[in-house]
Amino acid sequence: MGSIKLIALDMDGTLLNEVQEISSENAKWIQKALDAGITVCFATGRGYQSALPYAEQLKLDTPMITVNGGEIWRRPSVLHRRSLMPAATIKRLHELALQHEECWFWAYTVEDIYNKEKWLEPVDDYEAHHWLKFGYYTEDEVTRGLILEETASWGGMEITNSSPWNLEMNPQGVTKASAIRELCELLHIDMSQVAAMGDSLNDIAMIREAGLGVAMGNAQDAVKAAADAVTVTNNEDAVAHLIRDYILKG
């Protein structure tokens, strides 16, 4: 493993604690990494608008990966690439969601976020929007399994999750890992010089491909199995541990 030049951090369940805050310890060690010349990058399923305040809090002027790799930002507000989902796919995903009444759903467009309580006006105006991601949430395993089986049979999508109870759909080939590979080209570094950290299935590809892939203590079992190391939970300053014990050690 080369020396780490880029740290890619998932946000929810990783950088953020259970009350959606960045601990002072995590913030302190992120600053130490930046001071050491290491690029610190969010790699999140969140949309740009909800990730940005945290980047501003940390005063990051570094790249950002949002909506699971659907958007790659050279730095906040400077877009490098955006990967859109076809409106026809969103229509199918939405129609499937409506067949399962107990299921919450949401969808990101470039401009906005829609969900079960706030959908398009008029409701079938799919083509008027630029779509990035669709998600389902249900704690009913049978329903979730049926939705996964149905959508997987269509092809053309990356299907992951950001918690054990949801499913997230991006265009095929669009992952946090594909976005990090592209960032590595921009930064003239190798994937072996990347440390990646996360807790859910949308983090597995980047954890596998990074030189150092770390799973959270609170990660799903499949993520832990894919990782080089497993650390403490998101309520125990895991990012500080990563930077202090693995990256700036000694």
Side-chain angles (χ1 to χ4, degrees):
M1 183 176 81
S3 62
I4 298 297
K5 301 280 179 65
L6 173 69
I7 303 172
L9 298 174
D10 171 50
M11 293 179 68
D12 294 277
T14 302
L15 171 63
L16 307 180
N17 62 20
E18 63 187 10
V19 290
Q20 313 273 287
E21 290 171 351
I22 300 172
S23 71
S24 56
E25 196 68 7
N26 280 350
K28 179 177 95 177
W29 282 92
I30 287 171
Q31 188 56 52
K32 285 179 187 271
L34 295 168
D35 291 344
I38 297 166
T39 301
V40 178
C41 165
F42 292 167
T44 182
R46 286 180 177 236
Y48 176 74
Q49 289 87 344
S50 70
L52 185 62
Y54 294 97
E56 290 174 340
Q57 179 190 336
L58 293 171
K59 299 183 170 60
L60 293 181
D61 195 34
T62 52
M64 289 171 64
I65 293 164
T66 53
V67 285
N68 291 337
E71 292 181 324
I72 304 169
W73 303 83
R74 285 178 181 266
R75 52 189 175 83
S77 80
V78 182
L79 184 70
H80 171 64
R81 179 192 296 278
R82 185 176 272 149
S83 302
L84 298 176
M85 289 187 81
T89 304
I90 296 293
K91 181 174 190 283
R92 284 183 84 182
L93 292 167
H94 181 229
E95 286 168 352
L96 180 61
L98 296 177
Q99 292 169 28
H100 298 279
E101 285 181 18
E102 74 283 21
C103 194
W104 177 260
F105 61 85
W106 66 97
Y108 280 100
T109 67
V110 170
E111 297 81 19
D112 210 346
I113 180 165
Y114 294 94
N115 58 40
K116 188 172 185 170
E117 290 175 354
K118 181 196 120 176
W119 195 248
L120 306 176
E121 294 285 341
V123 292
D124 57 352
D125 195 16
Y126 302 98
E127 296 287 347
H129 301 270
H130 299 99
W131 299 96
L132 291 163
K133 187 177 87 161
F134 194 95
Y136 299 90
Y137 178 98
T138 174
E139 293 180 21
D140 183 315
E141 293 210 9
V142 175
T143 300
R144 207 166 53 249
L146 287 170
I147 292 171
L148 175 59
E149 191 177 0
E150 170 75 15
T151 53
S153 74
W154 303 348
M157 290 183 291
E158 295 290 336
I159 305 176
T160 61
N161 74 27
S162 60
S163 90
W165 304 281
N166 73 25
L167 294 167
E168 300 200 345
M169 283 71 176
N170 286 83
Q172 187 143 29
V174 173
T175 63
K176 293 182 182 186
S178 68
I180 292 170
R181 283 197 298 272
E182 196 153 336
L183 272 190
C184 283
E185 290 178 18
L186 287 178
L187 298 169
H188 307 296
I189 62 173
D190 191 76
M191 282 296 277
S192 67
Q193 297 172 302
V194 175
M197 187 178 195
D199 69 311
S200 295
L201 299 189
N202 61 350
D203 301 311
I204 281 190
M206 72 171 182
I207 283 172
R208 283 204 178 113
E209 291 186 39
L212 175 62
V214 179
M216 300 293 294
N218 52 284
Q220 296 170 45
D221 288 343
V223 183
K224 291 179 177 176
D228 301 308
V230 178
T231 186
V232 296
T233 72
N234 63 316
N235 291 319
E236 300 172 279
D237 309 320
V239 171
H241 279 260
L242 169 73
I243 295 169
R244 186 185 65 219
D245 300 342
Y246 290 94
I247 296 170
L248 299 180
K249 56 183 187 289

